[in-house]
Amino acid sequence: SQQGEEDPQALSIQEGENATMNCSYKTSINNLQWYRQNSGRGLVHLILIRSNEREKHSGRLRVTLDTSKKSSSLLITASRAADTASYFCATDGFYGGSQGNLIFGKGTKLSVKP
Amino acid sequence: EPEVTQTPSHQVTQMGQEVILRCVPISNHLYFYWYRQILGQKVEFLVSFYNNEISEKSEIFDDQFSVERPDGSNFTLKIRSTKLEDSAMYFCASSDSGRNEQFFGPGTRLTVL
């Protein structure tokens, strides 16, 4: 499989519920970033977690990183309809890493129903 | 809040024509990137640029592609002779460090007919 693969591919929840998305990767990384993309729009940076960090919070977002399992998860708590978007993890390191070239996964399409 | 801007938002061109996609990175950033996303597919790295030269490029970035920072603010991607398969959304990104967050522009949708 590719570097940075998210699962599930699609997730549908009710407003107020929590959403958890997972990402797995293959090579060593310096950091892992999560992005959001609304349909047909640009990528919005959500959070960066470095390889020496295990957990990071930003508002309703919680990201974990397990470098031994080469996996990360993104938790969105108390979801809102406005959270409906595709979520991507992106890792660096594949092309050498020092310049931070990112490798993206295929994304999880999150649908939050009001 | 500073942001990356891209022009045009949508470019339609005929196969074989040259196109130039323009980006204005965040002003104090030093690292610049181009990515593309074919409809329904994942975002793919094309090229990174630092200190006025290409740092790394992917296998997608062949001789038909070139990048330039013609002045202190713009960063351009040129496709010399477009092919149908170049149709995609092209994103510019910038960062203050090779190891920090990358901030993406809104993208240019390129349609090659």
Side-chain angles (χ1 to χ4, degrees):
Chain A
S1 63
Q2 302 286 322
Q3 180 88 336
E5 289 293 319
E6 296 91 340
D7 79 86
Q9 290 187 337
L11 181 61
S12 182
I13 59 174
Q14 293 294 130
E15 210 166 27
E17 293 180 341
N18 295 342
T20 299
M21 289 159 270
N22 302 297
C23 168
S24 60
Y25 58 92
K26 285 192 166 295
T27 66
S28 298
I29 61 170
N30 297 306
N31 62 58
L32 184 146
Q33 305 184 46
W34 284 91
Y35 287 83
R36 184 186 75 221
Q37 184 180 38
N38 289 75
S39 182
R41 307 291 293 277
L43 293 154
V44 175
H45 185 269
L46 296 176
I47 199 164
L48 177 152
I49 187 165
R50 299 198 187 279
S51 58
N52 61 352
E53 297 175 309
R54 291 296 166 259
E55 188 170 312
K56 207 160 180 182
H57 297 254
S58 176
R60 293 183 296 113
L61 306 180
R62 174 176 162 253
V63 168
T64 62
L65 179 65
D66 187 336
T67 51
S68 66
K69 294 181 180 176
K70 291 187 167 55
S71 67
S72 173
S73 68
L74 170 68
L75 168 68
I76 304 174
T77 60
S79 62
R80 306 166 182 165
D83 295 328
T84 294
S86 290
Y87 291 82
F88 298 89
C89 71
T91 55
D92 69 349
F94 188 81
Y95 285 103
S98 61
Q99 305 300 329
N101 311 328
L102 296 178
I103 305 300
F104 284 80
K106 291 181 181 176
T108 292
K109 192 170 277 191
L110 174 66
S111 175
V112 182
K113 299 187 190 315
Chain B
E1 187 173 324
E3 57 182 20
V4 177
T5 59
Q6 290 185 243
T7 53
S9 57
H10 192 187
Q11 173 93 49
V12 181
T13 190
Q14 295 289 326
M15 191 169 58
Q17 294 296 304
E18 174 183 287
V19 294
I20 297 177
L21 310 182
R22 301 180 194 281
C23 168
V24 179
I26 294 173
S27 63
N28 63 340
H29 285 185
L30 301 175
Y31 295 79
F32 313 116
Y33 310 84
W34 283 101
Y35 295 83
R36 79 170 187 193
Q37 185 181 31
I38 295 171
L39 188 63
Q41 298 188 24
K42 60 171 72 176
V43 177
E44 301 172 291
F45 165 72
L46 292 178
V47 66
S48 59
F49 192 86
Y50 170 71
N51 202 27
N52 281 320
E53 60 182 23
I54 290 174
S55 307
E56 292 186 78
K57 56 185 181 179
S58 72
E59 56 272 15
I60 301 168
F61 194 89
D62 62 21
D63 292 344
Q64 293 300 313
F65 291 88
S66 63
V67 289
E68 196 177 34
R69 186 151 163 85
D71 53 44
S73 59
N74 291 285
F75 180 50
T76 61
L77 174 70
K78 182 194 289 187
I79 309 176
R80 238 178 299 280
S81 177
T82 50
K83 308 185 190 78
L84 295 176
E85 54 265 36
D86 293 329
S87 293
M89 183 77 96
Y90 287 81
F91 294 107
C92 172
S94 71
S95 175
D96 62 354
S97 158
R99 296 190 176 217
N100 287 343
E101 296 87 344
Q102 290 184 27
F103 294 92
F104 282 71
T108 293
R109 182 169 298 283
L110 176 66
T111 302
V112 182
L113 303 175

